[in-house]
Amino acid sequence: MTYNELSSQIFLKQSYLCVGLDTDPLKLPRHLLTESDPVFAFNRAIIDATADFAVAYKPNIAFYEAQGPRGWESLQRTLDYIPSECFTIADAKRGDIGNTSSLYARTFFDPSAAGLDFDSVTVAPYMGHDSVTPFLQYDGKWVILLALTSNVGSADFQRQPVGEQELFEIVIEKAQTWASHEQLMFVVGATQADVVSRIREIAPDHFLLVPGVGAQGGSLAEVSRRGLTKAGGLLVNASRSILYASSADDFADRARAEAQALQVEMAQYLAEL
Amino acid sequence: MTYNELSSQIFLKQSYLCVGLDTDPLKLPRHLLTESDPVFAFNRAIIDATADFAVAYKPNIAFYEAQGPRGWESLQRTLDYIPSECFTIADAKRGDIGNTSSLYARTFFDPSAAGLDFDSVTVAPYMGHDSVTPFLQYDGKWVILLALTSNVGSADFQRQPVGEQELFEIVIEKAQTWASHEQLMFVVGATQADVVSRIREIAPDHFLLVPGVGAQGGSLAEVSRRGLTKAGGLLVNASRSILYASSADDFADRARAEAQALQVEMAQYLAEL
């Protein structure tokens, strides 16, 4: 999916909501456990319930990987089920030396490899340019690079002072020499909303993938007012607050209501642009 | 496996060789392609050929993941086949917020999850302490944290100046507040041998996992003389130079010869202690 196509979807749906599919087999509603693939059955119901309000879906690969081979089958079924107008993110936090990153890129981008055809993958920057560039060899595919994450530990290294800057700013600046805003996004946690204005100064056009709204306590209003651009420029993720809004038979209806509430709020911020 | 057990194996086998199982299905000898699981058949032959000379095996998870669900089956068969006295490393470079890192830890450490029971996993430090500590909740399991990697891109962020130090030194110092040398190792590329003496000053007892000998051009002699400790303290990895020493029927014999040559050289450096 291109930058312009993603931007168009945002204004069409009046939403920059990404639904995180952090699907925990231990939290599934009981009545799904008799399905042949309960994880996929849950995801299908969540996608059906939220697709009117979401422009992106982000399976968190750890949740599938922890199920062994059948987890990867659930992941493939889920990805195949996501409507084609939605942007798809493999939240995998991968990154290794060049020949190994090439294989991770194949895993998520080349359907002839592992059966997966994501639009993007999250990548950790620590190993530098040659750990990231193999993911950029695929036309129309995106790298979403960790910059300033939503967790407490982000202070340990990402906010270390490097000269006049902090490390995450060096990451954002240097990564822009590897790819344009048409193939590169940055992860910026909603819990770091106070820094979004600074990030917009050094990355005015890049999409930011923003986790941390909801269960992690970030403010949608703050991050939106500081991060939105004329092209949209944000994908704000919610996972647990949507997936587990209810653990009973009404989980899909409750997920839909949660997603809609976020979309309605997002439409307000888009109207302020 | 404990620190002392690993140390004992090193002096028993007179080797600190780790064989990297970066098994590429496209590079398998032709006669294996008729096997029901050619990747496992190759790994089994490599393990049989090298187990006399290796104290550790390190499957590179990308190579298995890129095969989809059957890749994870090959990985499980391979792990189950590695002799129990050998230390096993899931080279996965994982790391995410706490609840997600917990699932990655389950994947590689809890056999009831994905069927895998590795001794250790490689972890990327960028997201900080709460992305690493979930891996430390398993008794007898290890985190091998990226510090200074073997690739050119290691200069981009790992060697950024932070005060009087470089970032990788901050990583090594801070990580020591999370776990002792009995549960924590560091990745230090053999191509960075000139820095190993500095690392030994701040991490005198920690094992270092050293990739980059062989195809990547690092010197075994240099890294050994600067990095070995009274407990061994090094695991030096070789992957491609062993796995693909020959692409013909004699691949296992040639792999054995390569592994033995490294072991003989390592025995000399151990004798110098």
Side-chain angles (χ1 to χ4, degrees), chain A residues 213-242:
Chain A
V213 163
Q216 294 181 61
S219 159
L220 175 58
E222 276 191 54
V223 85
S224 298
R225 289 182 170 134
R226 295 174 189 200
L228 280 175
T229 69
K230 294 291 179 198
L234 290 181
L235 292 174
V236 171
N237 184 75
S239 301
R240 286 170 271 182
S241 62
I242 291 176

Short mmCIF file of all heavy atoms in Angstrom, two decimals, chain A residues 213-242:
data_model
loop_
_atom_site.label_atom_id
_atom_site.label_comp_id
_atom_site.label_asym_id
_atom_site.label_seq_id
_atom_site.Cartn_x
_atom_site.Cartn_y
_atom_site.Cartn_z
N VAL A 213 -2.08 3.80 23.65
CA VAL A 213 -3.38 4.34 24.05
C VAL A 213 -4.17 3.20 24.68
O VAL A 213 -4.04 2.05 24.27
CB VAL A 213 -4.13 4.89 22.80
CG1 VAL A 213 -5.61 5.07 23.06
CG2 VAL A 213 -3.50 6.21 22.37
N GLY A 214 -4.98 3.49 25.68
CA GLY A 214 -5.78 2.43 26.29
C GLY A 214 -5.08 1.82 27.47
O GLY A 214 -4.71 2.54 28.41
N ALA A 215 -4.84 0.49 27.42
CA ALA A 215 -4.30 -0.23 28.59
C ALA A 215 -3.03 0.41 29.13
O ALA A 215 -2.76 0.38 30.32
CB ALA A 215 -4.07 -1.69 28.24
N GLN A 216 -2.20 1.00 28.23
CA GLN A 216 -0.93 1.58 28.68
C GLN A 216 -1.04 3.04 29.14
O GLN A 216 -0.07 3.62 29.61
CB GLN A 216 0.14 1.45 27.59
CG GLN A 216 0.54 0.01 27.30
CD GLN A 216 1.63 -0.07 26.23
OE1 GLN A 216 2.72 0.44 26.39
NE2 GLN A 216 1.32 -0.70 25.11
N GLY A 217 -2.21 3.66 28.93
CA GLY A 217 -2.46 4.96 29.56
C GLY A 217 -2.15 6.21 28.76
O GLY A 217 -2.26 7.32 29.28
N GLY A 218 -1.76 6.08 27.48
CA GLY A 218 -1.46 7.26 26.68
C GLY A 218 -2.72 8.02 26.29
O GLY A 218 -3.82 7.45 26.26
N SER A 219 -2.56 9.32 25.98
CA SER A 219 -3.72 10.15 25.64
C SER A 219 -3.86 10.30 24.13
O SER A 219 -2.97 10.80 23.45
CB SER A 219 -3.53 11.55 26.26
OG SER A 219 -4.34 12.50 25.57
N LEU A 220 -5.00 9.88 23.61
CA LEU A 220 -5.27 10.01 22.18
C LEU A 220 -5.33 11.48 21.77
O LEU A 220 -4.81 11.87 20.71
CB LEU A 220 -6.60 9.31 21.83
CG LEU A 220 -7.08 9.45 20.39
CD1 LEU A 220 -6.05 8.92 19.40
CD2 LEU A 220 -8.42 8.73 20.20
N ALA A 221 -5.92 12.31 22.62
CA ALA A 221 -6.05 13.73 22.29
C ALA A 221 -4.67 14.37 22.13
O ALA A 221 -4.39 15.04 21.12
CB ALA A 221 -6.83 14.45 23.38
N GLU A 222 -3.80 14.14 23.10
CA GLU A 222 -2.49 14.79 23.05
C GLU A 222 -1.68 14.36 21.84
O GLU A 222 -1.07 15.17 21.16
CB GLU A 222 -1.70 14.46 24.33
CG GLU A 222 -2.04 15.36 25.49
CD GLU A 222 -1.04 15.17 26.62
OE1 GLU A 222 0.18 15.28 26.37
OE2 GLU A 222 -1.49 14.89 27.74
N VAL A 223 -1.64 13.04 21.63
CA VAL A 223 -0.82 12.54 20.54
C VAL A 223 -1.39 12.98 19.19
O VAL A 223 -0.64 13.25 18.24
CB VAL A 223 -0.64 11.01 20.65
CG1 VAL A 223 -1.79 10.24 20.03
CG2 VAL A 223 0.68 10.57 20.04
N SER A 224 -2.69 13.09 19.09
CA SER A 224 -3.32 13.48 17.83
C SER A 224 -3.03 14.95 17.53
O SER A 224 -2.66 15.31 16.41
CB SER A 224 -4.83 13.27 17.90
OG SER A 224 -5.13 11.90 18.10
N ARG A 225 -3.20 15.79 18.52
CA ARG A 225 -3.03 17.24 18.27
C ARG A 225 -1.59 17.58 17.94
O ARG A 225 -1.32 18.55 17.23
CB ARG A 225 -3.56 18.03 19.46
CG ARG A 225 -5.09 17.94 19.49
CD ARG A 225 -5.76 18.72 20.59
NE ARG A 225 -7.21 18.74 20.36
CZ ARG A 225 -8.14 18.50 21.28
NH1 ARG A 225 -7.79 18.25 22.54
NH2 ARG A 225 -9.42 18.52 20.97
N ARG A 226 -0.66 16.77 18.45
CA ARG A 226 0.75 17.05 18.16
C ARG A 226 1.26 16.29 16.95
O ARG A 226 2.27 16.70 16.35
CB ARG A 226 1.60 16.69 19.37
CG ARG A 226 1.28 17.57 20.56
CD ARG A 226 2.02 17.14 21.81
NE ARG A 226 1.50 17.88 22.96
CZ ARG A 226 2.15 18.04 24.10
NH1 ARG A 226 3.33 17.51 24.26
NH2 ARG A 226 1.61 18.73 25.08
N GLY A 227 0.59 15.18 16.59
CA GLY A 227 1.17 14.30 15.58
C GLY A 227 0.48 14.28 14.24
O GLY A 227 1.09 13.89 13.23
N LEU A 228 -0.79 14.69 14.17
CA LEU A 228 -1.50 14.61 12.89
C LEU A 228 -0.88 15.57 11.87
O LEU A 228 -0.41 16.65 12.22
CB LEU A 228 -2.98 14.95 13.07
CG LEU A 228 -3.88 13.83 13.60
CD1 LEU A 228 -5.29 14.37 13.85
CD2 LEU A 228 -3.95 12.64 12.65
N THR A 229 -0.92 15.15 10.60
CA THR A 229 -0.43 15.99 9.50
C THR A 229 -1.55 16.09 8.45
O THR A 229 -2.59 15.44 8.57
CB THR A 229 0.80 15.36 8.82
OG1 THR A 229 0.39 14.17 8.13
CG2 THR A 229 1.88 15.01 9.84
N LYS A 230 -1.29 16.87 7.43
CA LYS A 230 -2.28 17.02 6.35
C LYS A 230 -2.57 15.69 5.65
O LYS A 230 -3.63 15.52 5.04
CB LYS A 230 -1.79 18.04 5.31
CG LYS A 230 -1.68 19.45 5.85
CD LYS A 230 -3.05 20.05 6.12
CE LYS A 230 -2.94 21.47 6.68
NZ LYS A 230 -4.19 21.90 7.34
N ALA A 231 -1.61 14.75 5.73
CA ALA A 231 -1.81 13.43 5.12
C ALA A 231 -2.33 12.41 6.12
O ALA A 231 -2.46 11.23 5.80
CB ALA A 231 -0.50 12.94 4.51
N GLY A 232 -2.63 12.87 7.31
CA GLY A 232 -2.98 11.94 8.39
C GLY A 232 -1.76 11.77 9.28
O GLY A 232 -1.62 12.43 10.31
N GLY A 233 -0.86 10.93 8.84
CA GLY A 233 0.45 10.86 9.49
C GLY A 233 0.49 10.08 10.79
O GLY A 233 1.56 9.94 11.38
N LEU A 234 -0.64 9.56 11.24
CA LEU A 234 -0.65 8.75 12.45
C LEU A 234 -1.40 7.45 12.20
O LEU A 234 -2.39 7.42 11.46
CB LEU A 234 -1.37 9.47 13.60
CG LEU A 234 -0.73 10.69 14.24
CD1 LEU A 234 -1.64 11.20 15.37
CD2 LEU A 234 0.66 10.39 14.79
N LEU A 235 -0.93 6.40 12.82
CA LEU A 235 -1.71 5.18 13.02
C LEU A 235 -1.69 4.93 14.52
O LEU A 235 -0.61 4.69 15.09
CB LEU A 235 -1.09 3.99 12.28
CG LEU A 235 -1.13 4.04 10.75
CD1 LEU A 235 -0.33 2.87 10.17
CD2 LEU A 235 -2.57 4.02 10.23
N VAL A 236 -2.81 5.08 15.17
CA VAL A 236 -2.86 4.89 16.62
C VAL A 236 -3.44 3.51 16.92
O VAL A 236 -4.53 3.18 16.48
CB VAL A 236 -3.71 5.99 17.30
CG1 VAL A 236 -3.92 5.66 18.77
CG2 VAL A 236 -3.02 7.34 17.14
N ASN A 237 -2.65 2.74 17.64
CA ASN A 237 -3.02 1.35 17.89
C ASN A 237 -3.74 1.18 19.22
O ASN A 237 -3.35 1.76 20.23
CB ASN A 237 -1.74 0.49 17.92
CG ASN A 237 -2.07 -0.99 18.07
OD1 ASN A 237 -2.51 -1.62 17.11
ND2 ASN A 237 -1.90 -1.53 19.27
N ALA A 238 -4.76 0.36 19.21
CA ALA A 238 -5.39 -0.12 20.45
C ALA A 238 -5.51 -1.62 20.33
O ALA A 238 -5.93 -2.13 19.28
CB ALA A 238 -6.74 0.53 20.66
N SER A 239 -5.13 -2.32 21.36
CA SER A 239 -5.19 -3.78 21.33
C SER A 239 -6.14 -4.29 22.40
O SER A 239 -7.31 -4.53 22.15
CB SER A 239 -3.79 -4.39 21.54
OG SER A 239 -2.90 -3.97 20.54
N ARG A 240 -5.62 -4.37 23.63
CA ARG A 240 -6.38 -5.02 24.70
C ARG A 240 -7.72 -4.34 24.96
O ARG A 240 -8.70 -5.02 25.25
CB ARG A 240 -5.53 -5.03 25.98
CG ARG A 240 -4.42 -6.05 25.92
CD ARG A 240 -3.42 -5.90 27.07
NE ARG A 240 -2.34 -4.98 26.75
CZ ARG A 240 -1.31 -4.70 27.57
NH1 ARG A 240 -1.24 -5.27 28.75
NH2 ARG A 240 -0.35 -3.87 27.19
N SER A 241 -7.77 -3.00 24.85
CA SER A 241 -9.02 -2.30 25.17
C SER A 241 -10.14 -2.67 24.20
O SER A 241 -11.32 -2.58 24.54
CB SER A 241 -8.79 -0.79 25.18
OG SER A 241 -8.40 -0.34 23.89
N ILE A 242 -9.77 -3.08 22.98
CA ILE A 242 -10.77 -3.52 22.01
C ILE A 242 -11.00 -5.02 22.11
O ILE A 242 -12.13 -5.49 22.24
CB ILE A 242 -10.34 -3.12 20.58
CG1 ILE A 242 -10.42 -1.60 20.42
CG2 ILE A 242 -11.18 -3.82 19.52
CD1 ILE A 242 -9.93 -1.06 19.09
#
